[in-house]
Amino acid sequence: MAFIPMFLVVLLSVELMIFMRPSMASPATFAQDFDITWANTHIKQMQKENAIQLILDQSSGCGFTSKNKYMFGRISMKIKLIPGDSAGTVTAFYMASETNGTRDEVDFEFLGNRSGQPYTVQTNVYARGKGDREQRVNLWFDPSAQFHTYSILWNRHHIVFYVDEVPIRVYKNNENKRVPYPNSQPMRIHSTLWEADNWATRGGLEKIDWSKAPFYAYYKDFDIEACPVYRNNGCRTNSNHWWDGPAYQRLNPVQARNYRWVRVNHMVYDYCIDKSRNPNPPRECLAGI
Protein backbone atom coordinates (compact mmCIF):
# COMPACT_ATOMS: atom_id res chain seq x y z
CA MET A 1 0.00 0.00 0.00
CA ALA A 2 1.37 3.40 -0.96
CA PHE A 3 2.37 5.86 1.76
CA ILE A 4 0.32 9.05 1.71
CA PRO A 5 1.39 11.79 4.14
CA MET A 6 -1.14 12.38 6.92
CA PHE A 7 -1.34 16.11 6.13
CA LEU A 8 -2.51 15.24 2.62
CA VAL A 9 -5.23 12.94 3.94
CA VAL A 10 -6.44 15.63 6.34
CA LEU A 11 -6.33 18.35 3.70
CA LEU A 12 -8.25 16.22 1.23
CA SER A 13 -10.94 15.54 3.83
CA VAL A 14 -11.30 19.25 4.56
CA GLU A 15 -11.37 20.07 0.86
CA LEU A 16 -14.11 17.55 0.13
CA MET A 17 -16.26 18.93 2.97
CA ILE A 18 -15.80 22.62 2.22
CA PHE A 19 -15.23 22.90 -1.51
CA MET A 20 -17.50 20.20 -2.92
CA ARG A 21 -18.92 21.35 -6.22
CA PRO A 22 -22.65 22.10 -6.14
CA SER A 23 -23.65 19.79 -8.97
CA MET A 24 -23.13 16.08 -8.42
CA ALA A 25 -24.52 14.24 -11.44
CA SER A 26 -24.97 10.49 -11.23
CA PRO A 27 -22.39 8.61 -13.32
CA ALA A 28 -23.86 7.35 -16.58
CA THR A 29 -23.60 3.89 -18.04
CA PHE A 30 -21.05 3.40 -20.78
CA ALA A 31 -23.63 2.98 -23.53
CA GLN A 32 -25.48 6.17 -22.60
CA ASP A 33 -22.56 8.47 -23.33
CA PHE A 34 -19.99 6.56 -25.41
CA ASP A 35 -19.47 4.61 -28.62
CA ILE A 36 -16.75 2.07 -29.33
CA THR A 37 -14.64 3.46 -32.17
CA TRP A 38 -11.84 0.93 -32.41
CA ALA A 39 -11.88 -2.88 -32.05
CA ASN A 40 -15.24 -3.58 -30.43
CA THR A 41 -14.09 -7.14 -29.73
CA HIS A 42 -11.51 -5.68 -27.34
CA ILE A 43 -13.93 -3.70 -25.14
CA LYS A 44 -16.22 -5.70 -22.85
CA GLN A 45 -19.06 -4.14 -20.93
CA MET A 46 -19.46 -5.33 -17.35
CA GLN A 47 -21.62 -4.74 -14.28
CA LYS A 48 -24.75 -3.93 -16.29
CA GLU A 49 -22.84 -1.47 -18.51
CA ASN A 50 -21.54 0.44 -15.47
CA ALA A 51 -17.96 -0.69 -16.12
CA ILE A 52 -15.84 -1.80 -19.06
CA GLN A 53 -12.70 -3.82 -19.68
CA LEU A 54 -10.22 -2.64 -22.32
CA ILE A 55 -7.98 -5.29 -23.89
CA LEU A 56 -4.63 -5.01 -25.64
CA ASP A 57 -3.06 -7.98 -27.39
CA GLN A 58 -0.85 -8.51 -30.42
CA SER A 59 -3.81 -8.25 -32.77
CA SER A 60 -5.15 -4.88 -31.59
CA GLY A 61 -5.64 -2.22 -28.99
CA CYS A 62 -9.00 -0.48 -28.61
CA GLY A 63 -10.74 2.81 -28.01
CA PHE A 64 -13.99 4.64 -27.39
CA THR A 65 -15.30 8.18 -27.71
CA SER A 66 -18.20 10.24 -26.39
CA LYS A 67 -21.39 10.59 -28.39
CA ASN A 68 -21.46 14.32 -27.68
CA LYS A 69 -18.99 17.18 -27.96
CA TYR A 70 -18.58 19.42 -24.93
CA MET A 71 -17.56 22.99 -24.26
CA PHE A 72 -16.23 23.45 -20.71
CA GLY A 73 -17.05 21.41 -17.63
CA ARG A 74 -15.61 18.59 -15.56
CA ILE A 75 -14.99 15.03 -16.80
CA SER A 76 -14.14 12.17 -14.42
CA MET A 77 -13.54 8.45 -14.77
CA LYS A 78 -12.44 5.78 -12.34
CA ILE A 79 -9.69 3.68 -13.89
CA LYS A 80 -7.76 0.60 -12.76
CA LEU A 81 -4.60 0.31 -14.83
CA ILE A 82 -2.71 -2.70 -16.18
CA PRO A 83 -1.04 -4.66 -13.34
CA GLY A 84 2.44 -6.16 -13.35
CA ASP A 85 4.73 -5.75 -16.34
CA SER A 86 2.96 -3.14 -18.48
CA ALA A 87 6.05 -1.66 -20.17
CA GLY A 88 5.36 -0.28 -23.65
CA THR A 89 1.63 0.17 -23.11
CA VAL A 90 -0.28 3.45 -22.94
CA THR A 91 -3.73 3.90 -21.43
CA ALA A 92 -5.05 7.30 -22.49
CA PHE A 93 -7.97 9.43 -21.30
CA TYR A 94 -8.28 12.74 -23.13
CA MET A 95 -10.44 15.38 -24.77
CA ALA A 96 -9.88 16.55 -28.34
CA SER A 97 -11.49 18.80 -30.93
CA GLU A 98 -12.26 17.53 -34.41
CA THR A 99 -9.91 19.93 -36.17
CA ASN A 100 -6.47 18.96 -37.42
CA GLY A 101 -4.32 22.01 -38.03
CA THR A 102 -5.89 23.94 -35.14
CA ARG A 103 -6.54 21.00 -32.82
CA ASP A 104 -7.28 21.54 -29.13
CA GLU A 105 -6.53 18.58 -26.87
CA VAL A 106 -6.16 17.86 -23.15
CA ASP A 107 -4.43 14.56 -22.33
CA PHE A 108 -3.97 12.08 -19.53
CA GLU A 109 -1.59 9.30 -20.70
CA PHE A 110 -0.67 6.49 -18.30
CA LEU A 111 2.70 5.04 -19.28
CA GLY A 112 3.27 1.39 -18.51
CA ASN A 113 6.21 0.18 -16.45
CA ARG A 114 8.34 -2.79 -15.59
CA SER A 115 7.10 -4.60 -12.49
CA GLY A 116 8.06 -2.79 -9.31
CA GLN A 117 8.65 0.60 -10.95
CA PRO A 118 6.33 3.59 -10.47
CA TYR A 119 3.51 4.22 -12.91
CA THR A 120 4.00 7.54 -14.70
CA VAL A 121 1.16 9.79 -15.83
CA GLN A 122 1.94 12.19 -18.66
CA THR A 123 -0.24 15.25 -19.26
CA ASN A 124 -0.24 17.46 -22.32
CA VAL A 125 -2.22 20.44 -23.62
CA TYR A 126 -2.72 21.36 -27.27
CA ALA A 127 -4.13 24.77 -28.10
CA ARG A 128 -4.86 25.80 -31.71
CA GLY A 129 -2.62 23.08 -33.05
CA LYS A 130 0.34 23.66 -30.72
CA GLY A 131 1.24 20.93 -28.23
CA ASP A 132 4.62 19.79 -26.90
CA ARG A 133 3.66 20.76 -23.35
CA GLU A 134 4.38 17.43 -21.67
CA GLN A 135 4.71 17.03 -17.93
CA ARG A 136 5.19 13.72 -16.12
CA VAL A 137 4.37 12.71 -12.57
CA ASN A 138 5.08 9.39 -10.86
CA LEU A 139 1.94 8.27 -9.07
CA TRP A 140 2.33 7.85 -5.31
CA PHE A 141 0.25 4.65 -5.20
CA ASP A 142 -0.24 1.48 -7.21
CA PRO A 143 -2.94 2.44 -9.77
CA SER A 144 -3.44 -1.19 -10.77
CA ALA A 145 -4.45 -2.39 -7.28
CA GLN A 146 -7.80 -0.60 -7.21
CA PHE A 147 -9.80 2.10 -8.98
CA HIS A 148 -8.69 5.73 -8.73
CA THR A 149 -10.46 8.83 -10.02
CA TYR A 150 -8.91 10.92 -12.81
CA SER A 151 -10.57 14.22 -13.65
CA ILE A 152 -10.23 17.20 -15.98
CA LEU A 153 -11.72 20.56 -15.02
CA TRP A 154 -11.90 22.86 -18.07
CA ASN A 155 -13.33 26.35 -17.85
CA ARG A 156 -12.57 29.83 -19.16
CA HIS A 157 -9.92 30.42 -16.50
CA HIS A 158 -7.80 27.27 -16.39
CA ILE A 159 -7.51 23.54 -17.03
CA VAL A 160 -6.81 21.42 -13.96
CA PHE A 161 -5.81 17.74 -13.99
CA TYR A 162 -6.80 15.86 -10.83
CA VAL A 163 -5.85 12.46 -9.42
CA ASP A 164 -8.23 11.48 -6.61
CA GLU A 165 -9.09 15.19 -6.20
CA VAL A 166 -5.40 16.13 -5.89
CA PRO A 167 -4.44 18.66 -8.59
CA ILE A 168 -1.30 17.54 -10.43
CA ARG A 169 -1.27 20.15 -13.18
CA VAL A 170 -2.72 23.58 -13.91
CA TYR A 171 -2.74 25.24 -17.34
CA LYS A 172 -3.95 28.82 -17.03
CA ASN A 173 -5.73 30.93 -19.59
CA ASN A 174 -2.95 33.38 -20.49
CA GLU A 175 -4.37 34.73 -23.73
CA ASN A 176 -3.55 38.22 -22.43
CA LYS A 177 0.10 37.12 -22.71
CA ARG A 178 -0.48 35.83 -26.26
CA VAL A 179 -0.52 32.19 -25.12
CA PRO A 180 -3.13 30.08 -26.96
CA TYR A 181 -5.86 28.58 -24.77
CA PRO A 182 -8.55 26.02 -25.72
CA ASN A 183 -11.73 28.08 -25.42
CA SER A 184 -13.33 28.19 -28.85
CA GLN A 185 -13.66 24.58 -30.03
CA PRO A 186 -15.83 21.86 -28.49
CA MET A 187 -14.12 18.57 -27.70
CA ARG A 188 -15.12 14.95 -27.47
CA ILE A 189 -13.97 12.62 -24.69
CA HIS A 190 -11.76 9.75 -25.83
CA SER A 191 -9.95 6.80 -24.31
CA THR A 192 -7.59 4.26 -25.84
CA LEU A 193 -5.36 1.36 -24.83
CA TRP A 194 -2.50 0.79 -27.26
CA GLU A 195 1.09 -0.25 -27.82
CA ALA A 196 3.69 2.55 -27.83
CA ASP A 197 6.91 0.80 -26.90
CA ASN A 198 8.92 3.09 -29.17
CA TRP A 199 8.58 5.87 -26.53
CA ALA A 200 6.30 5.06 -23.59
CA THR A 201 8.65 3.41 -21.07
CA ARG A 202 12.07 4.94 -20.43
CA GLY A 203 11.99 6.66 -23.80
CA GLY A 204 11.47 3.38 -25.66
CA LEU A 205 14.28 1.43 -23.98
CA GLU A 206 11.78 -0.96 -22.36
CA LYS A 207 9.82 -2.93 -24.94
CA ILE A 208 6.45 -4.60 -24.52
CA ASP A 209 6.59 -8.24 -23.42
CA TRP A 210 3.87 -9.92 -25.44
CA SER A 211 4.22 -13.10 -23.38
CA LYS A 212 2.37 -11.14 -20.65
CA ALA A 213 -0.54 -10.33 -22.98
CA PRO A 214 -3.43 -9.84 -23.02
CA PHE A 215 -3.25 -6.61 -21.03
CA TYR A 216 -6.37 -5.32 -19.26
CA ALA A 217 -7.46 -1.90 -18.02
CA TYR A 218 -10.81 -1.26 -16.32
CA TYR A 219 -13.08 1.80 -16.27
CA LYS A 220 -16.21 2.70 -14.34
CA ASP A 221 -18.26 5.69 -13.10
CA PHE A 222 -18.28 7.77 -16.27
CA ASP A 223 -19.12 11.18 -14.81
CA ILE A 224 -19.65 14.02 -17.29
CA GLU A 225 -20.67 17.40 -15.89
CA ALA A 226 -20.18 19.57 -18.94
CA CYS A 227 -22.08 21.57 -21.55
CA PRO A 228 -22.99 19.37 -24.56
CA VAL A 229 -22.69 21.36 -27.75
CA TYR A 230 -25.72 21.44 -29.99
CA ARG A 231 -26.56 24.03 -32.62
CA ASN A 232 -26.29 27.54 -31.10
CA ASN A 233 -27.08 26.35 -27.56
CA GLY A 234 -24.82 28.89 -25.83
CA CYS A 235 -22.07 26.65 -24.44
CA ARG A 236 -19.40 29.03 -25.67
CA THR A 237 -20.97 32.14 -24.15
CA ASN A 238 -22.99 30.97 -21.11
CA SER A 239 -20.94 31.56 -17.97
CA ASN A 240 -23.64 30.56 -15.46
CA HIS A 241 -22.49 26.95 -15.00
CA TRP A 242 -21.08 25.85 -11.64
CA TRP A 243 -17.61 25.23 -13.13
CA ASP A 244 -17.34 28.94 -13.98
CA GLY A 245 -18.12 30.03 -10.43
CA PRO A 246 -15.58 31.93 -8.29
CA ALA A 247 -14.58 28.78 -6.36
CA TYR A 248 -13.37 27.13 -9.59
CA GLN A 249 -11.48 30.01 -11.18
CA ARG A 250 -8.28 29.26 -9.22
CA LEU A 251 -6.99 26.67 -6.80
CA ASN A 252 -8.07 27.21 -3.23
CA PRO A 253 -5.37 27.16 -0.51
CA VAL A 254 -5.84 23.47 0.23
CA GLN A 255 -5.58 22.53 -3.42
CA ALA A 256 -2.55 24.78 -3.91
CA ARG A 257 -0.73 23.06 -1.04
CA ASN A 258 -1.52 19.61 -2.44
CA TYR A 259 -0.41 20.76 -5.87
CA ARG A 260 2.96 21.92 -4.54
CA TRP A 261 3.38 18.60 -2.69
CA VAL A 262 2.94 16.68 -5.95
CA ARG A 263 5.26 18.96 -7.91
CA VAL A 264 8.04 18.82 -5.33
CA ASN A 265 7.87 15.10 -4.56
CA HIS A 266 6.56 13.34 -7.67
CA MET A 267 7.24 15.37 -10.83
CA VAL A 268 9.85 13.68 -13.02
CA TYR A 269 9.66 15.76 -16.23
CA ASP A 270 8.55 19.28 -17.10
CA TYR A 271 8.87 20.78 -20.57
CA CYS A 272 9.14 24.20 -18.92
CA ILE A 273 12.61 23.42 -17.55
CA ASP A 274 13.88 21.20 -20.38
CA LYS A 275 16.67 23.44 -21.70
CA SER A 276 17.35 21.13 -24.65
CA ARG A 277 13.84 21.83 -25.95
CA ASN A 278 13.21 25.28 -24.53
CA PRO A 279 16.34 27.33 -23.84
CA ASN A 280 13.98 30.06 -22.69
CA PRO A 281 10.88 28.98 -20.75
CA PRO A 282 7.65 29.33 -22.75
CA ARG A 283 5.48 32.26 -21.66
CA GLU A 284 2.85 30.06 -20.01
CA CYS A 285 5.52 28.55 -17.73
CA LEU A 286 6.11 31.87 -16.00
CA ALA A 287 2.49 32.43 -14.98
CA GLY A 288 2.28 30.22 -11.88
CA ILE A 289 -1.10 28.88 -10.76
Side-chain angles (χ1 to χ4, degrees), residues 31-97:
Q32 282 177 298
D33 284 333
F34 297 96
D35 290 320
I36 298 172
T37 52
W38 173 27
N40 59 6
T41 59
H42 284 57
I43 296 182
K44 295 184 178 179
Q45 299 187 42
M46 309 165 66
Q47 300 176 14
K48 298 181 180 180
E49 298 184 351
N50 291 309
I52 58 171
Q53 178 193 63
L54 275 63
I55 303 169
L56 168 65
D57 58 26
Q58 283 186 283
S59 68
S60 184
C62 57
F64 62 88
T65 190
S66 61
K67 298 177 187 292
N68 292 322
K69 292 183 285 187
Y70 299 92
M71 192 76 201
F72 304 125
R74 180 178 169 117
I75 313 299
S76 296
M77 294 186 189
K78 291 183 179 177
I79 305 174
K80 184 162 68 171
L81 295 172
I82 300 167
D85 187 347
S86 57
T89 68
V90 174
T91 307
F93 160 41
Y94 62 101
M95 302 182 71
S97 66

Side-chain angles (χ1 to χ4, degrees), residues 196-207:
D197 69 0
N198 61 323
W199 67 271
T201 307
R202 295 184 60 217
L205 295 176
E206 303 283 0
K207 300 301 183 182

Side-chain angles (χ1 to χ4, degrees), residues 14-15 19 28 33 67 73 82 98 112 124 128-129 147 152-153 158 160 162 180 204 236 242 246 256 260 283:
V14 172
E15 179 180 341
F19 298 103
D33 284 333
K67 298 177 187 292
I82 300 167
E98 296 178 337
N124 201 355
R128 299 172 197 168
F147 285 93
I152 298 169
L153 173 68
H158 59 188
V160 186
Y162 293 93
R236 291 181 179 86
W242 68 259
R260 288 192 293 270
R283 284 190 296 271

Side-chain angles (χ1 to χ4, degrees), residues 122-283:
Q122 174 171 284
T123 59
N124 201 355
V125 177
Y126 284 77
R128 299 172 197 168
K130 173 67 170 66
D132 298 326
R133 298 184 175 98
E134 299 92 346
Q135 294 182 351
R136 294 184 180 182
V137 168
N138 281 346
L139 294 174
W140 52 95
F141 53 84
D142 179 359
S144 67
Q146 58 188 17
F147 285 93
H148 291 268
T149 304
Y150 304 94
S151 309
I152 298 169
L153 173 68
W154 170 37
N155 61 29
R156 291 169 173 79
H157 306 278
H158 59 188
I159 296 165
V160 186
F161 297 80
Y162 293 93
V163 175
D164 290 337
E165 300 300 329
V166 175
I168 67 166
R169 182 173 187 177
V170 178
Y171 184 83
K172 291 180 64 174
N173 184 341
N174 283 300
E175 288 187 305
N176 60 345
K177 296 181 173 67
R178 294 179 291 115
V179 177
Y181 185 80
N183 63 3
S184 61
Q185 301 183 94
M187 295 193 272
R188 292 189 192 273
I189 306 161
H190 302 266
S191 187
T192 54
L193 173 58
W194 51 292
E195 173 201 354
D197 69 0
N198 61 323
W199 67 271
T201 307
R202 295 184 60 217
L205 295 176
E206 303 283 0
K207 300 301 183 182
I208 196 166
D209 182 356
W210 288 114
S211 71
K212 303 293 196 304
F215 301 99
Y216 301 108
Y218 298 87
Y219 289 61
K220 68 176 183 178
D221 293 356
F222 311 96
D223 190 358
I224 302 174
E225 297 182 69
C227 189
V229 173
Y230 306 111
R231 186 176 301 172
N232 298 321
N233 71 335
C235 284
R236 291 181 179 86
T237 57
N238 185 353
S239 60
N240 295 322
H241 300 290
W242 68 259
W243 51 81
D244 281 316
Y248 304 96
Q249 295 178 12
R250 63 186 59 84
L251 298 187
N252 62 54
V254 172
Q255 293 171 328
R257 185 171 178 178
N258 292 343
Y259 176 77
R260 288 192 293 270
W261 175 81
V262 171
R263 310 286 284 189
V264 169
N265 294 284
H266 297 283
M267 173 165 278
V268 294
Y269 178 79
D270 183 0
Y271 78 106
C272 288
I273 58 175
D274 186 343
K275 297 294 186 181
S276 65
R277 292 176 59 187
N278 298 301
N280 298 308
R283 284 190 296 271

